[in-house]
Amino acid sequence: DGGITQSPKYLFRKEGQNVTLSCEQNLNHDAMYWYRQDPGQGLRLIYYSQIVNDFQKGDIAEGYSVSREKKESFPLTVTSAQKNPTAFYLCASSNAGMANEKLFFGSGTQLSVL
Amino acid sequence: DAKTTQPPSMDCAEGRAANLPCNHSTISGNEYVYWYRQIHSQGPQYIIHGLKNNETNEMASLIITEDRKSSTLILPHATLRDTAVYYCIALLYNTDKLIFGTGTRLQVFP
């Protein structure tokens, strides 16, 4: 089946530790996105990538890093610089450009700090 | 992107139509209106989008006022599985990012 796969579903981070969230899509989409969602809040954009080997910061990029070495993969690293990482993280993809295109979302990763 | 305003919560009886309003008074002529919904602890799901004309698909109908300052998402026969947070987003043509607000929490009751 075509879609977006996020793993793991639950992740725990120790103080000072970097962790990486996986996002893979087999939809042949050019664009991929990472959002963060806090309880009772909407989604906030962390990073996005419109093409392989290129990505841009969203509204809350500090403390996060990404890479886009392959079209189908867009991993997100939550670094130790992110002081409040506990949140629900969502990955999405779409065809290149946002006009008249819909986003497809993964099922999310819940990150918690030990 | 135009700011959108939605009521924080709404209730609807099962089998009745759910009408979810959205104000986007600052929308410009080339901004689309998108609707997504998010069931608890899942990724948002696309519902429908439109620019000027009313739109209908298998999930819902979208009614956009003539001045484009507001719109209404209609779920014609709500079911318990339609309980979710519904997000209305105004998206500028050819922008790179989709900005979500806090949405409307729709509770469908038996």
Side-chain angles (χ1 to χ4, degrees):
Chain A
D1 290 338
I4 299 179
T5 301
Q6 288 188 241
S7 62
K9 188 168 179 62
Y10 299 97
L11 185 60
F12 297 91
R13 193 191 91 166
K14 296 179 180 178
E15 292 287 342
Q17 186 182 40
N18 293 354
V19 292
T20 297
L21 284 62
S22 171
C23 179
E24 303 278 330
Q25 54 100 0
N26 60 5
L27 299 167
N28 200 34
H29 284 166
D30 290 309
M32 297 187 74
Y33 307 79
W34 274 105
Y35 289 88
R36 167 181 172 142
Q37 187 173 35
D38 293 282
Q41 304 296 313
L43 284 68
R44 291 186 290 169
L45 183 64
I46 306 173
Y47 268 99
Y48 60 103
S49 168
Q50 297 286 79
I51 195 170
V52 174
N53 292 323
D54 188 42
F55 47 83
Q56 288 76 42
K57 292 181 179 180
D59 300 317
I60 55 165
E62 186 174 350
Y64 300 97
S65 66
V66 293
S67 62
R68 188 82 187 280
E69 297 176 0
K70 299 187 294 184
K71 186 176 185 179
E72 60 269 23
S73 178
F74 191 41
L76 173 74
T77 296
V78 183
T79 75
S80 57
Q82 173 49 247
K83 298 307 180 187
N84 185 23
T86 297
F88 188 52
Y89 290 86
L90 286 158
C91 179
S93 71
S94 72
N95 284 319
M98 289 302 300
N100 212 25
E101 293 288 347
K102 54 186 178 182
L103 285 176
F104 291 82
F105 282 86
S107 56
T109 293
Q110 176 64 50
L111 175 64
S112 302
V113 177
L114 292 176
Chain B
D1 298 339
K3 178 181 172 58
T4 61
T5 305
Q6 299 176 254
S9 64
M10 294 182 64
D11 291 336
C12 179
E14 190 177 19
R16 303 298 295 270
N19 298 294
L20 290 88
C22 179
N23 286 325
H24 30 80
S25 58
T26 61
I27 197 170
S28 61
N30 54 1
E31 284 190 315
Y32 287 81
V33 177
Y34 277 75
W35 284 84
Y36 285 76
R37 74 180 184 184
Q38 186 178 23
I39 296 171
H40 182 63
S41 296
Q42 296 182 21
Q45 175 191 25
Y46 166 84
I47 302 173
I48 200 167
H49 74 284
L51 183 62
K52 296 180 183 179
N53 301 320
N54 298 337
E55 303 287 345
T56 296
N57 62 21
E58 65 279 3
M59 290 183 68
S61 295
L62 175 61
I63 307 298
I64 302 174
T65 58
E66 191 170 344
D67 63 8
R68 302 188 69 244
K69 293 185 183 302
S70 66
S71 61
T72 300
L73 178 76
I74 301 173
L75 308 178
H77 304 289
T79 71
L80 298 178
R81 288 182 295 180
D82 292 322
T83 293
V85 177
Y86 287 78
Y87 297 100
C88 166
I89 304 144
L91 178 67
L92 180 66
Y93 180 86
N94 224 22
T95 59
D96 294 335
K97 51 189 183 179
L98 197 63
I99 307 299
F100 287 75
T102 53
T104 296
R105 183 173 299 276
L106 176 67
Q107 179 68 53
V108 181
F109 58 90

